[in-house]
Amino acid sequence: MTVTTSSRSFRLVCTPEERPLVEELLRAQGYDFEPEPFSEWSRKITHEPKPLGSSLAAFFGLIYIQDRSSMLPPVVLHPEAGDAVLDMCASPGSKTGFLAQLVGSSGFVLGNEPSRNRLATLRQNLFTMNLLHTATCSYPGESLPLPSGGWKKIQLDPPCSGWGTVERNPNVLKLWQGDKVKPLIGIQRKLLQEAFRLLAPGGKVVFSTCTTNVQENEEQVRFATNEIGFKLQPITAPEGFTFEAPYLDGCEGTLRVDPEKSGAQGFYIAAFTKPEDAEAPEEFEPGLKADIMPRRALSMPGVDTSLLPEGELAHVRENALFLPQYALDNFPETFRWRGFPIGKMARGEVRPSPRLRALMPEYEEDNGINLEETEPIERLLTGQSMQVKAKGKECGLYFKGLRLGRLKVKGNRVLWSEK
């Protein structure tokens, strides 16, 4: 059965040069889509022969399915290439991943997820998307043990009642009514206060919710400006949406997405800045206790270490992690965080993950197999092997030159294995 939809959206997760090939991979499996006007990375599905999450592009982390409203906060925060960004309540990683795309490999994004149960989802999504210049941690968002004034860009998408998702989650209006919303309002205010402390003078915070509740939206904006000291920064409305006027005076320049007219979730977005004359950033001594390894531990066929961002490799238990340089330079020794998992350690060498496409070199005949059709790739993912001429223990898998992942070599055959 063919499913056609006009509202499902996704992001391309790749370099600008790879975008045409990712789109070609999708179309080769029958999908069609059109550009979204608010971001060069965003697309809207127009034809979906089977669930988009089962596509090869989704499996290899080359796209990320995301409601179009949820893409707006990173667009509004608008980090530049090379910026460092803190995402205070990050799981499942939708906005964290988009922010990491926007800052590029020369930048850095820290995703904090207070819930240990949700932390694994955040880490898995960043891993699948191959965003090496990210790190994660798990602290209560209202009390992050980081120095004051250290971040110029902060994304704050706090726990909320989710009234804007009522079409997808019909029970949210029953679950979050009356006094049940009060704890959410309280934690949102504590998070706003913590964001003010962490923000550098002149820095920017984007506050967003997926609710239509004025207590969690406009009333929080008034609290942030009247009680905390934030300055409201008016937002230029992105194209492709219809926005309602804010429900309270003093909140002009914030965005309230009209879900019906926009074909998206109900969303609310406000942007704040910290006065330039606010207290100067706190001084501290950065530090980290870790077993640092030389980059040559990754020097093996099919791995191009020149593609690593600035940072170090570390041996942590049986894992090899990449530690972005920004984190090494700006986190106190007592701060607990995790870098990007590169692979497993074995006999003093790093065994790269099969999904580590970010460090695969450009395709050449001696470093992988380059397929022109999607069917052989689909067969590999079902456990079938393929007869090829390949050297070494591993080789790269490419689609028309697009890096997908790493295959195991067994004699004259290759297979996909994540073990």
Side-chain angles (χ1 to χ4, degrees), residues 381-392:
L381 297 186
T382 64
Q384 297 183 45
S385 62
M386 178 185 299
Q387 186 169 349
V388 297
K389 292 181 180 180
K391 299 178 181 178

Side-chain angles (χ1 to χ4, degrees), residues 3 6 10 35 61 90 96 107 109 123 128 138 145 148 173 191-192 235 243 248 303 307 342 361 378 408:
V3 179
S6 60
F10 64 93
T96 322
V109 176
R123 287 175 169 169
T128 302
S138 183
S148 299
L173 292 177
L191 287 164
L192 280 164
I235 302 170
F243 298 100
L248 297 179
V303 175
L307 297 175
I342 294 289
E378 293 170 357
K408 289 188 181 297

Side-chain angles (χ1 to χ4, degrees), residues 144-198:
L144 274 165
L146 288 167
S148 299
W151 298 86
K152 293 182 179 179
K153 297 284 175 69
I154 295 177
Q155 169 69 53
L156 174 54
D157 192 76
C160 73
S161 59
W163 290 3
T165 67
V166 65
E167 183 177 346
R168 191 181 66 197
N169 303 304
N171 292 327
V172 293
L173 292 177
K174 295 179 181 179
L175 290 173
W176 297 104
Q177 286 285 350
D179 289 344
K180 292 183 179 179
V181 181
K182 286 184 178 179
L184 294 175
I185 294 170
I187 190 64
Q188 290 164 8
R189 294 191 171 189
K190 290 179 180 179
L191 287 164
L192 280 164
Q193 290 169 326
E194 181 71 344
F196 187 85
R197 182 187 73 81
L198 293 168

Side-chain angles (χ1 to χ4, degrees), residues 253-271:
T254 62
L255 301 180
R256 178 181 277 272
V257 175
D258 183 316
E260 183 175 349
K261 294 180 180 179
S262 300
Q265 289 181 359
F267 235 80
Y268 184 80
I269 307 164

